[in-house]
């Protein structure tokens, strides 16, 4: 596959695969979807353009930090996620642009439902991706998750990957 042969459907299938991997808690595989210089960020609620040098982000991970996060969440010592939550992700209103470019841009709306200990939480928002070809496979170079919530409940934290 080359940049000129990547189709919109290829990108959408890649995103749906990402969602499936996350729902199945295959977090090491999820981290492997990122490029070596990949980043994953979740800015503060209500501040989508916040500066990570002056604001506290829910996540601001480079590739090695992504791997550490994935490995940590899979351990029994990660009490907040052991046993793991049950999650169901839905991606919709997917807009793919720059298919002919070296960097494919994606914007989508998402809903992540999470249930644990008889409590259901729903996270909604937008996600922005830069997707590139790496070793002839699609890979995430950048993922930014914008939560569109009034606040986080019940404890003001995110213990799963959105």
């Amino acid at each position: 596959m080359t940049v000129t042969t990547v189709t919109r459907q290829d990108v959408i299938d890649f995103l749906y695969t990402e969602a499936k991997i996350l729902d199945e808690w295959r977090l090491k595989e999820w981290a492997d979807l990122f490029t070596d210089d990949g980043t994953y960020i979740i800015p503060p609620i209500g501040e989508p353009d916040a500066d990570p040098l002056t604001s506290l982000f829910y996540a601001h991970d480079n590739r090695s930090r992504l791997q550490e996060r994935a490995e940590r969440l899979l351990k029994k010592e990660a009490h907040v996620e052991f046993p793991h939550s049950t999650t169901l992700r839905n991606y919709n209103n997917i807009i793919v642009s720059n298919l002919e470019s070296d960097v494919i841009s994606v914007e989508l709306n998402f809903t992540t439902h999470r249930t644990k200990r008889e409590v259901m939480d729903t996270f909604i928002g937008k996600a922005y991706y830069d997707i590139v070809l790496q070793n002839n496979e699609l890979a995430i170079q950048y993922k930014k998750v914008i939560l569109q919530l009034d606040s986080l409940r019940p404890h003001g934290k995110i213990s799963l990957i959105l």
Side-chain angles (χ1 to χ4, degrees), residues 6-75:
V6 174
T7 67
R8 180 178 186 280
Q9 191 61 51
D10 293 331
V11 174
I12 291 172
D13 289 347
F14 175 76
L15 295 168
Y16 288 159
T17 299
E18 179 204 22
K20 180 178 181 359
I21 287 169
L22 286 169
D23 284 341
E24 293 174 354
W25 281 86
R26 295 169 18 218
L27 303 185
K28 290 180 187 177
E29 285 181 56
W30 175 75
D32 289 340
L33 294 177
F34 283 78
T35 61
D36 294 339
D37 63 346
T39 56
Y40 169 68
I41 65 172
I42 306 174
I45 290 175
E47 299 180 55
D49 298 318
D51 181 349
L53 298 176
T54 58
S55 298
L56 183 61
F57 277 49
Y58 294 108
H60 194 278
D61 295 350
N62 62 21
R63 179 61 176 81
S64 63
R65 182 77 176 120
L66 274 170
Q67 191 69 35
E68 291 168 8
R69 182 183 299 273
E71 290 172 5
R72 186 178 67 252
L73 285 171
L74 290 171
K75 293 180 179 177

Side-chain angles (χ1 to χ4, degrees), residues 5-162:
T5 63
V6 174
T7 67
R8 180 178 186 280
Q9 191 61 51
D10 293 331
V11 174
I12 291 172
D13 289 347
F14 175 76
L15 295 168
Y16 288 159
T17 299
E18 179 204 22
K20 180 178 181 359
I21 287 169
L22 286 169
D23 284 341
E24 293 174 354
W25 281 86
R26 295 169 18 218
L27 303 185
K28 290 180 187 177
E29 285 181 56
W30 175 75
D32 289 340
L33 294 177
F34 283 78
T35 61
D36 294 339
D37 63 346
T39 56
Y40 169 68
I41 65 172
I42 306 174
I45 290 175
E47 299 180 55
D49 298 318
D51 181 349
L53 298 176
T54 58
S55 298
L56 183 61
F57 277 49
Y58 294 108
H60 194 278
D61 295 350
N62 62 21
R63 179 61 176 81
S64 63
R65 182 77 176 120
L66 274 170
Q67 191 69 35
E68 291 168 8
R69 182 183 299 273
E71 290 172 5
R72 186 178 67 252
L73 285 171
L74 290 171
K75 293 180 179 177
K76 289 182 181 180
E77 292 82 10
H79 299 290
V80 71
E81 278 303 332
F82 193 83
H84 301 310
S85 299
T86 300
T87 60
L88 181 68
R89 287 166 177 77
N90 292 297
Y91 293 167
N92 53 63
N93 295 350
I94 302 170
I95 299 171
V96 179
S97 55
N98 302 326
L99 275 172
E100 302 299 322
S101 171
D102 289 341
V103 179
I104 300 166
S105 300
V106 177
E107 175 183 342
L108 58 81
N109 295 337
F110 73 87
T111 306
T112 301
H113 300 284
R114 169 189 184 244
T115 182
K116 183 165 179 91
R117 297 186 182 102
E118 300 179 17
V119 175
M120 172 108 132
D121 287 306
T122 301
F123 299 90
I124 60 170
K126 289 189 168 288
Y128 298 88
Y129 293 78
D130 287 342
I131 296 175
V132 298
L133 278 175
Q134 178 175 275
N135 301 323
N136 253 1
E137 297 287 331
L138 292 174
I140 302 167
Q141 186 173 55
Y142 173 81
K143 180 177 179 179
K144 180 178 185 178
V145 175
I146 308 292
L147 289 167
Q148 295 188 322
L149 303 170
D150 295 331
S151 64
L152 290 177
R153 63 165 193 85
H155 303 295
K157 63 183 172 186
I158 304 169
S159 61
L160 60 127
I161 294 172
L162 295 172

